[in-house]
Amino acid sequence: MRKGIIAVVTTIATLAAPGMGVAFAGTSSSAAAYTVQTGDTMYKIALAKDVPLASLELANPQIQNPTSIYPGEVIALPTPYVVASGDTLYKIAVAHGISLAALEAANPQITDVTNLQIGQTIFLPIPANHSTTLTSTPASASSASVNAAPGAGSSTVSTPSTAAQTTSGSTSSTAVLRQNILNFAQSLVGIHYAWGGSSPTTYFDCSGFVQYVFAHFDISLPRQSHDQATVGTPVAQSSLQPGDLLFFTDTDSYASQYANHVTHVGIYMGNGNMIESSSANNGEGVVVVHNVFANPYYSAHYYGARDVIG
């Protein structure tokens, strides 16, 4: 992931274009970088500059071993960003060409990623190169849309003038969103299963995992799988798209309590695969299930699928 961040440094220049909804407050180059002194460590520098250690390390992908830096070496500082009204981590990540996972990793001080505070400063894992404190400008942002896949390394302003352009842009944006959802879901692979769990720290049950993943993209879902199976649009198995939800019935002793008997949910990944939080194998947790419809257990319990993305 750290190697991938270096490609997005060029985004800073692109975002400075008029109408991007981002105002740059200039700072001196000395504020954007730090020259390592004898006895320094990345941890000490992060403390001195009041930035998260993770964001400092991510802003310096050229440093192969963060535990070994040398006097005279120049360390780039991460780019601060001031949260504005309407911001979410996902929107900020997309606007600056950064993966959501990298942005979250760079800001471990954020205890509730779904509830940012206006005026809160977060750090983009991009070197602050001569730069710049980034502050969103909602008025400008409302007149332009930023279309960039996280990690793509560049951003462009889209102002569609025809219905065809709007439709094309919407389709592309939805495809990017679906892929981003899967990328984020896969970043959670290995987190253990816990009944009632709904976060990486409390672990996940199946519906808690799904709700947590989609909440990061401003998609609100009910907490329980049997309720999740009632929202969105039904999808035929032959028409499944990555990001659709797959539901299964009668997979535990509580099934009879629900009218639809749905007790399990996973996220379709494409190519017949699914990602889920599984209680199997002593609570193995978030795993990828390959060829889910060829699996006798899942095919026997399959209830249906829903599109909650659109």
Side-chain angles (χ1 to χ4, degrees), residues 4 25 55 62 65 73 93 96 110 132 134 136 180 195-196 230 287 296:
S55 65
Q62 79 284 0
N65 184 2
E73 190 172 3
H96 296 92
I110 300 176
T132 72
L134 300 181
S136 177
N180 290 340
W195 189 85
T230 66
V287 294

Side-chain angles (χ1 to χ4, degrees), residues 287-304:
V287 294
V288 173
V289 178
H290 297 282
N291 299 316
V292 62
F293 296 113
N295 182 303
Y297 177 82
Y298 287 105
S299 61
H301 291 85
Y302 183 63
Y303 173 79

Side-chain angles (χ1 to χ4, degrees), residues 110-205:
I110 300 176
T111 56
D112 184 356
V113 295
T114 64
N115 186 28
L116 296 181
Q117 302 300 311
I118 296 174
Q120 178 180 6
T121 298
I122 65 173
F123 293 90
L124 310 182
I126 300 175
N129 275 351
H130 299 113
S131 77
T132 72
T133 300
L134 300 181
T135 309
S136 177
T137 306
S140 299
S142 65
S143 64
S145 62
V146 179
N147 295 322
S154 62
S155 299
T156 59
V157 178
S158 174
T159 53
S161 57
T162 67
Q165 286 176 317
T166 301
T167 301
S168 175
S170 175
T171 301
S172 175
S173 176
T174 301
V176 169
L177 174 57
R178 289 178 179 275
Q179 186 58 54
N180 290 340
I181 287 171
L182 292 181
N183 290 344
F184 181 64
Q186 291 179 85
S187 75
L188 302 170
V189 166
I191 294 178
H192 292 301
Y193 180 92
W195 189 85
S198 58
S199 76
T201 55
T202 61
Y203 302 151
F204 292 114
D205 62 16

Side-chain angles (χ1 to χ4, degrees), residues 18-287:
M20 288 300 294
V22 178
F24 288 80
T27 63
S28 67
S29 59
S30 62
Y34 175 82
T35 302
V36 176
Q37 307 296 312
T38 300
D40 274 342
T41 64
M42 292 290 275
Y43 176 67
K44 288 181 180 179
I45 296 170
L47 283 180
K49 297 300 180 180
D50 196 23
V51 299
L53 176 60
S55 65
L56 184 64
E57 292 186 351
L58 287 169
N60 290 275
Q62 79 284 0
I63 298 178
Q64 297 301 311
N65 184 2
T67 64
S68 180
I69 55 177
Y70 306 96
E73 190 172 3
V74 176
I75 303 296
L77 299 181
T79 304
Y81 177 91
V82 179
V83 175
S85 178
D87 273 342
T88 65
L89 282 186
Y90 172 66
K91 290 178 181 177
I92 296 169
V94 170
H96 296 92
I98 304 166
S99 75
L100 178 61
L103 185 59
E104 290 189 343
N107 292 276
Q109 77 283 4
I110 300 176
T111 56
D112 184 356
V113 295
T114 64
N115 186 28
L116 296 181
Q117 302 300 311
I118 296 174
Q120 178 180 6
T121 298
I122 65 173
F123 293 90
L124 310 182
I126 300 175
N129 275 351
H130 299 113
S131 77
T132 72
T133 300
L134 300 181
T135 309
S136 177
T137 306
S140 299
S142 65
S143 64
S145 62
V146 179
N147 295 322
S154 62
S155 299
T156 59
V157 178
S158 174
T159 53
S161 57
T162 67
Q165 286 176 317
T166 301
T167 301
S168 175
S170 175
T171 301
S172 175
S173 176
T174 301
V176 169
L177 174 57
R178 289 178 179 275
Q179 186 58 54
N180 290 340
I181 287 171
L182 292 181
N183 290 344
F184 181 64
Q186 291 179 85
S187 75
L188 302 170
V189 166
I191 294 178
H192 292 301
Y193 180 92
W195 189 85
S198 58
S199 76
T201 55
T202 61
Y203 302 151
F204 292 114
D205 62 16
C206 64
S207 55
F209 168 66
V210 169
Q211 184 188 51
Y212 181 84
V213 168
F214 280 81
H216 279 68
F217 300 91
D218 302 323
I219 299 173
S220 179
L221 295 176
R223 176 60 182 84
Q224 303 295 331
S225 59
H226 63 274
D227 290 325
Q228 292 174 355
T230 66
V231 300
T233 306
V235 180
Q237 186 174 327
S238 60
S239 301
L240 285 170
Q241 298 183 73
D244 287 342
L245 301 185
L246 305 181
F247 296 95
F248 304 87
T249 62
D250 299 301
T251 61
D252 64 36
S253 58
Y254 295 97
S256 61
Q257 297 181 17
Y258 317 121
N260 57 15
H261 286 209
V262 168
T263 52
H264 188 65
V265 60
I267 304 172
Y268 186 65
M269 302 181 69
N271 299 317
N273 302 327
M274 174 181 74
I275 187 167
E276 62 171 0
S277 182
S278 171
S279 61
N281 301 320
N282 295 317
E284 62 186 351
V286 181
V287 294

